[in-house]
Structure formats: structure tokens, C-alpha cells
Amino acid sequence: MEALIPVINKLQDVFNTVGADVIQLPQIVVVGTQSSGKSSVLESLVGRDILPRGTGIVTRRPLILQLVHVDPEDCRKTSEENESKRNGRLYRGIEGEEWGKFLHTKSKIYTEFEQIRQEIEAETERISGNNKGISDEPIHLKIFSPHVVNLTLVDLPGITKVPVGDQPKDIEIQIRELILKYISNPNSIILAVTAANTDMATSEALKVAREVDTDGRRTLAVVTKLDLMDAGTDAMDVLMGRVIPVKLGIIGIVNRSQLDINQKKSVADSIRDEYAFLQKKYPSLANRNGTKYLARTLNRLLMHHIRDCLPELKTRLNVLTAQYQSLLNSYGEPVDDKSSTLLQLITKFAAEYCNTIEGTAKYIETTELCGGARICYIFHETFGRTLESVDPLGGLTTIDVLTAIRNATGPRPALFVPEVSFELLVKRQVKRLEEPSLRCVELVHEEMQRIIQHCSNYSTQELLRFPKLHDAIVEVVTSLLRKRLPVTNEMVHNLVAIELAYINTKHPDFADACGLMNNNIEEQRRNRMRDLPSAVPRDKSLKSPGGQSLSPTELPALEGEVTKAAAATVSEQTDGGTGNWRGMLRKGEEGMAGDRSMPQSPFSASPQKGYAVNLLDVPVPVSRKLSAREQRDCEVIERLIKSYFLIVRKNIQDSVPKAVMHFLVNHVKDCLQSELVGQLYKTALLNDLLTESEDMAQRRNEAADMLKALQKASQVIAEIRETHLW
């Protein structure tokens, strides 16, 4: 086991370099209430007065104390601490057999322990101030001596309950959180210090230790001030574990009193007096208590603990090494050939941008759609569903259709439905497809903008080294997209304009729809002829006034005449047989059952005496029920509009994505690299574009140092394995 000592010392040095926040160090954490004797325990283990003394809270920063045992015959020479070269020869510049070093003072050697105490006080006040506040930033101290065993201890501020003086009101919470931070480390051993002249059951140190070490496998209890117990009492039951059992044991010691400290009583004399006291008061337990036994026990526990922790530490080191290697790679090497580096970065960005669109990028987003997948979603889900939700007859009323038919006939009554009305109305409906088509272009343009940020964050982290180059690339790509946007919008606008330019009524799908519709209309016509009034003989219904048969083209006109005759007959009967235009107007006002209506005119339906009649002021009875022919004409136009609109919508749904891909997406993919090279690959811009951010060099050096320390720690653990000490 002793063969582990030099290897453990090396490992501890490396861990101090790496930092306890990265690697959880195997160490002994001293916990206790204020003035319970923690500092006296540490000084007894060191054998020297090194810690500040005083009333109230003295330890206000964690003190990581590493004790290194050196050979008495060669105490001035160690492998890393005491040897240096001057003019090719070794020299030893340390006077004395014991010395100390602080991490924050680098290579400065302290041979006077009074200077060490003063440096601890000065460093504490430098960070924590003079107001008795605490800080969680540790002080690292290493002591080399032939009189110590190899240990690493952490001295923490004592547990307190009530703020004193100008201490912060939450001082108790601050100290508790600081203690939990260190003892929560599973690789630490908790040294719970309790004064013998207090009740063991009220020990705050054991209480806080049990919160993180419930089974007690890494807690060792120390009972201090055995000589200060009340007369007639002893700590036999406590030391035997009968009051509160502790798995790792309970060790009692005798501290120096304040009088001893004032009289400069040495630690060596104190240890001799302690041994005499234990032999006299606790003879059966003297060999299992005392400062020397505590030091040996702590050394043994720490040795075993380090050995048990080594496999986990090795795994942790391997993980951290890989992480820091990856981090260092992301920072990149210092730039030597700027021209080549710039070209490589531009080429890589262009490739990653295109790969993100194609779906072959190295870093694939798993939380949301991006790149080409999102463009596909815009085409077939967003744009497709929007077009399908457009009603072919939306915004078009029956009155609009009827008005268009009448306007297309001019002053002459029409025998047939005019085609001009169909073209007028269908163009109006097709025009409604332009807005969602342009919105599709806008959505694709926005997604291609998002791809720039995606590539910067995930795919080409090297760009983060050069913020000016990153901004320049973003500007060039954004400008390219901005230039292609009006071109693509123009093409989509033309696609709709092409559909509006020529209404192809000979389209195969439209012809089939018209044929099917004509069959339905013919069937409806036959049904209406069967329902004609009995006043019209059926055998004469298909005869002309001259007695000749009517042609199929003349049937609609005859139907209209028959319908008008029937309507006139009904009108005369309901109006008292007058048959004049006033009766017709009143009939129009009374018929309110039209399919779609418009607001009534406020004017009277008939002129009054004493006023001139202006025919232009006579309202058209638009609210009347449509005649059979008008109803039929509107249905024909609506069906034709719907049929042709569906054909155009299908064409637009297919052609717009193709136009967007050709004029925007594919064009940017094909021209991106050449655009970037043409705009950025210039000798005058090299130095400016490849200027690293201010903190990049510092972060690279820190990552490199950390990686070297981790690799060195791995080598130390490998040495333990090779010597079969694991």
C-alpha cells in the first residue's frame, strides 16, 4: 500500500491543476461547529502552527491542505517541487527540512510557518473582505515535511447559527451550502469534529454528514477536548460507539488550550501530553485514540478510498479528455495559411448549406423540421391545403352571376347563356389563387434564411472563431436570396397571369365535365316539361305556332315563353286581373323567397299623384324569386366556373413548387459557392475576415492546458495499473 504514496502525490498534483470542479478529488473534508477544534486537529496533523487563530469565525474560505511526506535524508529534493536547473547543474535553494507552497503564489517557497499563516490571512481578506463574510473560492496549500503522512484535507468554515457583527443575515445558509458542496462529493471522506464537552446527540457535524452519507460508509468522527469534560464524567461510551455508532470509527484527541497557544507550546509537546492523558484517563483505549493514531487512520482510509475510486476516476478522465479534445478541435489551430483557410471555410459552409437542403447534412435536427424537409412540408401541406381550402365560388353570389349574364347580353334579350359572362367570372375566381402562391414563395424564402443560422450553429462551428467572416457570409447569402425573391415572385405571378390570359374551354377535363353537365340539364328539362300546366297541350308543346316541329336549339326559347306565360297568368289572378306593370312590381315585392337577395330599395313601388314618374328611379325587383330559366342559367355558369377553377387550381398547385425550386432553391444551391468566393475571396479582405474573436485564443489555451492535465492524470493512473497497485 505504501507504494501508492508517490503515485498518489502525482495524481493529486494533477487534480489540483485540473480543478475540483472538473474532477471530484479523493480528499478528507473536515466539518464541525465553530470553535469545536477543527483547526487544532489540522495543526496536530501537520505538527506546526499554520492556521489563523482568534475569536469568532476565523476560517472564512475553504483551505485545501495537502500533506506530502518526504524522506528525512533527502527532504529538500522531490521530483517536481524542489529541483530546478541553473547552468545545467542541480541546486537546492530551500533551507530547512519543512516548507510550504501556495497555488496562487506559483513557485514561491515558504520555509517559515508564520509566513504561511500570514499569507492565509491576507488571501482570505483579499477575497472575503474584512466583514467576517465567507467565500467558496478555495486556498490551496501544500506542506512538505518528513513528519507528516500523505493526506489531503479540506478545512471549511465552522457551522454557526446566529450572525455576529456585520455578517450577512443568511450566513448560516451560506456556510451550510458550502459544506454540502464539498461533502456531497462521493469521493470524499467526511471528518466530523465534535467537542467532548457537548452532547454527542446534538452534533451538527454528524447531522449534516448523514444527509449525504446515509449509510455512514465514508464518515469518521473525531471527539476533541477530552480534557475539558466535567469532573466525574468521561467519554468512554462515546468513544466505544455506544451512544452513536459510526462505521469508520470514533477517535478522541486532546487539543491545545488557548493558554498553551499563548505560551507558544509546541505541537510536539502537546502530542506528548495528549499521550500521557490518554494513558491515565483511558488506558484501554489509548492505542486507538490520539493525534498520531488519527493521522495513521486517515492515511489508511484515504489510501483505500483512492484505490476504490480509481476505476471511476479513470472513466471520468476518459470522458473529459474526449470532451476537451472535441472542444479544442472546434476552436481550431492558429491560422497559418489564411488564403487556404478562407477558401476551406467558404467551401465547407456552401456544402453544408446544400446538404441541409438535400437532407444529407451531418447534424440533423430532431426537434423540428428544417431545410429541405420543411420546404417539402410548405409545398405539400401548407400550400396544398391552403389551395384546397379556397372555395371555387367563394365571394360570388347568384346576383353577381345573373348580373354578369345580363351585362354580357347588352340591350337584346339572349336566347343562350353568353360565354363572355363565364370568362369574366372564372378569371375573377382564378385571380384569388395568386395570393397563396406568393405566400408560398415567402415561406420558402424564410426557411432558406433559417438554414444559414442552422449551418452556423451546428454544421460549421469553425465560423464562430471568425465573427467577421461569419457576418460576411450571412450577408452574402442573404443578399443572394433577396435578389432571387422578386424573380421568383415574378414567375409565380406569370403562372397565374398565363391561366388568366386564355380560358381553354377545349381542355379535355373541362369538356368531359361539360358533357356530364349537359346530360344532367337535359334530364332536368324533361322533368320540367312533364310538369307543365294542363292548359298547354302536351301534343302541341313541341310545335311551333305554324305547326312545325321545333329544333333542339329553339327549345330554350320556347321554354322561356311558356314560363313567362304561366307567370303572367298567376300574376293576373293575384292582382285582380289588371295585368299592368304596377301589379308586376307588387308581385316582385311580395316574392321574398329568392335563393340570394340584396337590400330593398327605399323608393315606393308605384308613383303617387302630383309627381312626375322617372323610369330610371323605378327599382328593379332583385329580391324576387328567380325564374326557371334564370335559375338554370346561373346553375350552368356556376358549374362551369367550378369545373374550370378546379383544373386551374390543380395546375397552380403543381407549377408553383416547380417554379420556386427552379428560380429560388436550385439557383441558390448552384450559385452559392461561386457567389461567396467572388464576394469574399479577396486578398484585401483576408486579414480582416480571419480575425479571431478576442477571447478565442484564451479559450484555446485554457482548453489545451486542461487537456494536457487530463492526459497526464490518465498516465498516472496507467502507472498504477502497470505496477499492479490497483
Side-chain angles (χ1 to χ4, degrees):
M1 185 65 67
E2 289 299 323
L4 272 174
I5 293 177
V7 182
I8 291 174
N9 287 338
K10 291 182 181 180
L11 190 61
Q12 192 63 55
D13 292 339
V14 175
F15 287 161
N16 287 340
T17 304
V18 174
D21 291 338
V22 180
I23 294 292
Q24 292 183 319
L25 310 174
Q27 55 194 6
I28 299 170
V29 181
V30 183
V31 180
T33 57
Q34 189 172 299
S35 301
S36 61
K38 303 189 310 303
S39 298
S40 296
V41 172
L42 293 177
E43 288 183 337
S44 298
L45 295 174
V46 176
R48 290 280 191 158
D49 295 333
I50 62 170
L51 300 178
R53 290 284 184 170
T55 58
I57 182 170
V58 178
T59 305
R60 296 188 288 128
R61 287 180 60 184
L63 174 65
I64 299 179
L65 177 62
Q66 184 178 354
L67 305 181
V68 181
H69 177 80
V70 293
D71 191 342
E73 298 179 358
D74 194 15
C75 61
R76 301 176 187 173
K77 180 175 63 178
T78 60
S79 60
E80 294 182 3
E81 302 295 336
N82 310 331
E83 292 187 1
S84 53
K85 293 184 179 181
R86 177 179 294 173
N87 299 327
R89 295 179 299 175
L90 292 177
Y91 77 97
R92 303 178 181 89
I94 302 175
E95 298 295 336
E97 61 179 8
E98 298 176 301
W99 67 92
K101 287 183 63 176
F102 287 97
L103 185 62
H104 64 271
T105 59
K106 306 302 180 183
S107 58
K108 184 177 180 180
I109 304 298
Y110 294 84
T111 56
E112 295 293 334
F113 285 88
E114 180 65 25
Q115 295 178 355
I116 293 178
R117 179 165 64 243
Q118 293 174 358
E119 180 62 29
I120 293 176
E121 292 176 348
E123 182 66 13
T124 299
E125 292 182 358
R126 186 179 68 85
I127 300 297
S128 303
N130 299 320
N131 63 345
K132 300 297 183 181
I134 66 170
S135 171
D136 61 351
E137 185 176 344
I139 299 174
H140 292 267
L141 172 62
K142 187 180 293 186
I143 300 295
F144 299 86
S145 172
H147 308 299
V148 300
V149 295
N150 291 281
L151 289 176
T152 299
L153 305 106
V154 181
D155 186 22
L156 297 174
I159 302 172
T160 185
K161 294 294 185 182
V162 181
V164 177
D166 55 355
Q167 286 183 340
K169 294 182 179 180
D170 62 341
I171 187 68
E172 177 186 0
I173 299 176
Q174 292 184 23
I175 294 176
R176 179 179 177 82
E177 291 178 350
L178 180 60
I179 292 173
L180 290 175
K181 174 184 176 181
Y182 280 88
I183 66 177
S184 297
N185 174 11
N187 294 335
S188 65
I189 296 175
I190 304 172
L191 190 64
V193 179
T194 304
N197 55 358
T198 61
D199 192 346
M200 192 74 169
T202 63
S203 173
E204 289 288 340
L206 288 176
K207 177 184 176 182
V208 72
R210 285 189 174 182
E211 292 182 14
V212 296
D213 183 31
T214 54
D215 54 1
R217 301 170 71 177
R218 54 187 183 91
T219 301
L220 175 67
V222 175
V223 179
T224 62
K225 305 180 181 180
L226 290 177
D227 57 332
L228 298 182
M229 296 188 67
D230 294 338
T233 61
D234 59 31
M236 185 67 71
D237 291 339
V238 173
L239 297 177
M240 294 292 291
R242 296 169 185 166
V243 178
I244 296 180
V246 180
K247 285 188 177 181
L248 295 184
I250 302 175
I251 300 176
I253 65 171
V254 177
N255 303 86
R256 288 184 298 168
S257 65
Q258 189 62 43
L259 179 61
D260 295 335
I261 296 173
N262 295 338
Q263 294 177 352
K264 306 296 182 181
K265 184 178 181 179
S266 66
V267 176
D269 293 340
S270 176
I271 291 177
R272 284 195 297 269
D273 293 344
E274 176 192 52
Y275 179 75
F277 174 81
L278 291 175
Q279 288 290 346
K280 178 181 177 181
K281 190 70 175 177
Y282 304 99
S284 61
L285 300 177
N287 61 340
R288 287 181 291 167
N289 289 275
T291 301
K292 290 188 176 181
Y293 179 77
L294 174 63
R296 292 194 301 269
T297 302
L298 291 175
N299 177 260
R300 175 177 53 83
L301 289 176
L302 186 61
M303 294 274 187
H304 286 285
H305 197 63
I306 290 177
R307 185 188 62 182
D308 295 338
C309 294
L310 282 179
E312 182 181 350
L313 288 175
K314 179 175 175 58
T315 302
R316 176 66 176 160
L317 283 172
N318 291 338
V319 172
L320 287 174
T321 301
Q323 291 178 352
Y324 276 93
Q325 183 66 58
S326 176
L327 182 63
L328 187 60
N329 293 339
S330 68
Y331 293 153
E333 297 293 334
V335 179
D336 295 328
D337 188 353
K338 293 187 176 182
S339 178
S340 175
T341 301
L342 178 60
L343 186 59
Q344 289 176 2
L345 290 175
I346 290 176
T347 303
K348 185 173 183 179
F349 179 87
E352 291 293 341
Y353 190 92
C354 297
N355 291 339
T356 303
I357 295 177
E358 295 295 334
T360 58
K362 181 179 179 181
Y363 298 92
I364 298 178
E365 185 68 53
T366 58
T367 57
E368 62 176 355
L369 293 177
C370 71
R374 192 175 184 87
I375 294 175
C376 179
Y377 182 87
I378 292 172
F379 285 157
H380 302 290
E381 297 294 332
T382 306
F383 178 61
R385 290 180 179 179
T386 302
L387 289 187
E388 291 175 0
S389 66
V390 178
D391 183 9
L393 301 177
L396 195 64
T397 65
T398 304
I399 295 301
D400 295 337
V401 178
L402 186 60
T403 302
I405 294 174
R406 288 179 174 179
N407 288 337
T409 59
R412 297 172 301 280
L415 297 178
F416 305 101
V417 178
E419 293 185 6
V420 177
S421 61
F422 163 72
E423 289 194 9
L424 177 67
L425 294 173
V426 79
K427 287 181 179 180
R428 171 180 166 181
Q429 298 306 103
V430 170
K431 184 69 176 176
R432 299 168 60 215
L433 299 176
E434 183 175 6
E435 182 179 353
S437 301
L438 294 176
R439 178 57 181 162
C440 176
V441 178
E442 183 180 350
L443 291 175
V444 174
H445 177 266
E446 291 175 358
E447 176 56 28
M448 298 191 73
Q449 284 284 137
R450 292 177 68 246
I451 296 176
I452 302 175
Q453 190 64 32
H454 173 81
C455 293
S456 301
N457 292 341
Y458 299 100
S459 303
T460 54
Q461 294 185 3
E462 294 88 343
L463 284 179
L464 301 179
R465 293 178 56 193
F466 312 107
K468 292 185 178 181
L469 176 60
H470 175 265
D471 295 342
I473 289 178
V474 171
E475 179 61 29
V476 171
V477 181
T478 302
S479 176
L480 178 60
L481 291 172
R482 193 184 304 118
K483 287 190 296 185
R484 297 307 301 174
L485 184 59
V487 177
T488 309
N489 284 335
E490 179 71 17
M491 183 60 198
V492 171
H493 174 77
N494 289 337
L495 289 177
V496 179
I498 288 170
E499 297 292 346
L500 296 175
Y502 180 66
I503 306 300
N504 183 18
T505 56
K506 290 297 184 180
H507 192 283
D509 295 340
F510 186 69
D512 294 342
C514 291
L516 181 61
M517 184 182 65
N518 289 336
N519 294 336
N520 294 336
I521 293 175
E522 183 66 22
E523 183 177 354
Q524 293 176 6
R525 186 190 65 80
R526 293 195 186 98
N527 293 337
R528 282 199 299 271
M529 294 301 293
R530 285 197 299 268
D531 296 337
L532 285 174
S534 57
V536 182
R538 294 184 180 276
D539 57 347
K540 295 181 180 181
S541 61
L542 299 180
K543 298 288 184 177
S544 65
Q548 298 180 355
S549 299
L550 297 176
S551 64
T553 59
E554 297 173 318
L555 286 176
L558 180 59
E559 280 189 39
E561 294 178 6
V562 173
T563 304
K564 291 178 182 178
T569 302
V570 175
S571 176
E572 291 175 357
Q573 293 174 355
T574 56
D575 196 40
T578 60
N580 57 14
W581 61 276
R582 292 189 179 89
M584 292 294 290
L585 288 177
R586 282 198 298 272
K587 176 60 180 176
E589 292 175 356
E590 294 171 358
M592 302 294 292
D595 289 346
R596 296 181 179 92
S597 61
M598 293 183 64
Q600 293 265 359
S601 174
F603 298 101
S604 174
S606 60
Q608 298 180 2
K609 295 180 179 181
Y611 293 94
V613 178
N614 185 359
L615 293 179
L616 295 178
D617 292 338
V618 177
V620 179
V622 294
S623 61
R624 64 178 175 78
K625 183 177 181 181
L626 299 181
S627 66
R629 178 175 178 177
E630 290 172 340
Q631 185 70 31
R632 183 200 63 190
D633 291 348
C634 290
E635 290 179 359
V636 168
I637 292 296
E638 289 177 355
R639 292 184 182 182
L640 291 175
I641 291 174
K642 184 175 182 180
S643 175
Y644 196 82
F645 180 87
L646 295 178
I647 294 173
V648 175
R649 185 174 72 182
K650 182 178 180 182
N651 294 341
I652 294 296
Q653 190 171 355
D654 178 66
S655 58
V656 168
K658 293 179 179 179
V660 174
M661 286 298 296
H662 176 73
F663 287 92
L664 181 61
V665 179
N666 290 342
H667 187 276
V668 171
K669 284 172 50 183
D670 296 339
C671 301
L672 179 60
Q673 183 166 353
S674 60
E675 188 77 13
L676 289 172
V677 172
Q679 295 286 340
L680 303 179
Y681 191 65
K682 299 176 181 179
T683 306
L685 299 177
L686 283 178
N687 293 330
D688 186 48
L689 293 178
L690 294 182
T691 301
E692 289 187 326
S693 58
E694 296 179 357
D695 60 337
M696 183 58 66
Q698 179 182 354
R699 289 158 60 185
R700 184 191 298 111
N701 293 335
E702 291 176 353
D705 293 341
M706 185 69 72
L707 185 61
K708 290 179 181 178
L710 292 171
Q711 292 173 344
K712 188 175 181 180
S714 299
Q715 293 175 358
V716 172
I717 294 180
E719 291 178 12
I720 301 176
R721 229 172 188 173
E722 292 174 359
T723 54
H724 305 285
L725 297 174
W726 197 313

